[in-house]
Amino acid sequence: MIFLFLFLLSCIIFWWMPYFINIHVGIDREISQYTFLVSLFNFLFFSIGYITLYFSLKNIRFRPLFFRDYSLRKLSEFAENLLVLITPICLIFAITFFFMRLGYKYGEGPYMPFIFQVFFYLQIFLYFVYATTIGTNNYKQRKFILLTIFFILTRFIVSLQWGRLFLAYSIVPLFILLLARGIIRLTFKNIVVALGLFFVLLFAIPFFRGDFSKIQGDSIFVEIGYLLAFGGPISLFDEYKDFSYEEIAKAVGIDDRCNPLLISLTAWLIPYKYLGICTLDIWQAEGRPATLDRIFAMLELGPKTAYETLYGPGSVYFIELYFAFGENLFIVYLMSALLGGLSAFAYTRLRYKTLFGVAYLEILLKVLFATRSNFGQIFEKAIPFAFGVIIILLLISTDKLNKFLKEVGHCPAKSAKCL
């Protein structure tokens, strides 16, 4: 039930804390009681789905059908060796990027070079493949500790000139994994420490970037309230719930057939930019898939400002579901229950060494941040990560591939076509 508690904390931070801040601090960002109740029902249905599947699966240990412990060991060795090779490169890229953007305000200045992105994505993929395919005892070994330190350090350096989520996307999955494996216990002391680290992450990086200097508040408390209230875009439901998606799509210049859920689910797969459909020129790039967070950024900031900066109000997963299914709240609640069930499945699998642990962690991470993001982003990288694991396994376990082909009848025994 630990992950359900973490999801509750996410709802408090990104949904309900901004609601009460708006009431008591007076930030001009409306959040109605109706929206508060909608968000509460989404949490309740998520909980129902999670609890139902969690107690059904918690004592079941699934094993891969064709790839056994040997493949897990080979996969962890491959990920570990490649991670050792690229870690120095990633650290150099992080330092280089830090100085590239030094002196620029957040949302301005040069964008991250593509080659940097490739290595940073590869690093996070390899690290969590490695971390989820080794035994629990390995977490106390020197090699794992050193790789973890350099992994987090790399992403911390980048976050000082980039977004806080770049660092959060490394720390939070590791925290979830260590909770699932029983390395960290969810005691009162650890909860206090975790919340303290969260607020350091939330405020230390914005202070370093000078974000608070942009806010004209009466006091530091108003400025902090402003930051928290705008960090939880639940108010978007109030602002746009009375509009149809057709009206919203027309306002930003895209076809109303560009379903926001479908776009966010397939943004990693379909080259919308080259097809010339369902795209927006935003965030210093042209032809980005028109996901709902980008649509809201365009509506809130206007085309010119949205293109020149990296800012935006974000999104909330139930808002995306609301527009994707014709403003039907019943389906939204049903999807929240399914999301809870998926989360329970992923969390229970992480208790053991698992081939697709990197994909499960990605799902759980994005579920926690779906309270301020899109539903489709839960699967945006999880599916490619799962395919990446399969490709690596096929490359390093050809004997297993041969056995698999024989068993399914596509490769007759002693055939020259067998690997």
Side-chain angles (χ1 to χ4, degrees), residues 7 47 49 71 79 83 93 100-101 107 136-137 145 168 170 198 211-212 221 241 310 335 341 345 355 375 396:
F7 186 75
S47 301
S71 296
L83 187 62
F93 282 170
M100 279 175 56
R101 289 186 53 84
T136 302
N137 292 334
I145 294 172
S170 59
F198 170 80
D211 289 6
F212 287 103
F221 298 105
K241 69 180 186 298
L310 300 176
M335 292 296 290
F345 173 82
L355 291 176
F375 187 91
I396 66 178

Side-chain angles (χ1 to χ4, degrees), residues 200-240:
V200 168
L201 176 64
L202 187 65
F203 292 114
I205 292 176
F207 268 114
F208 181 86
R209 292 192 311 229
D211 289 6
F212 287 103
S213 64
K214 305 169 191 175
I215 304 170
Q216 301 299 320
D218 297 329
S219 69
I220 187 63
F221 298 105
V222 173
E223 294 182 355
I224 291 174
Y226 183 99
L227 179 67
L228 287 173
F230 276 72
I234 191 174
S235 60
L236 292 168
F237 188 77
D238 270 312
E239 295 180 30
Y240 297 104

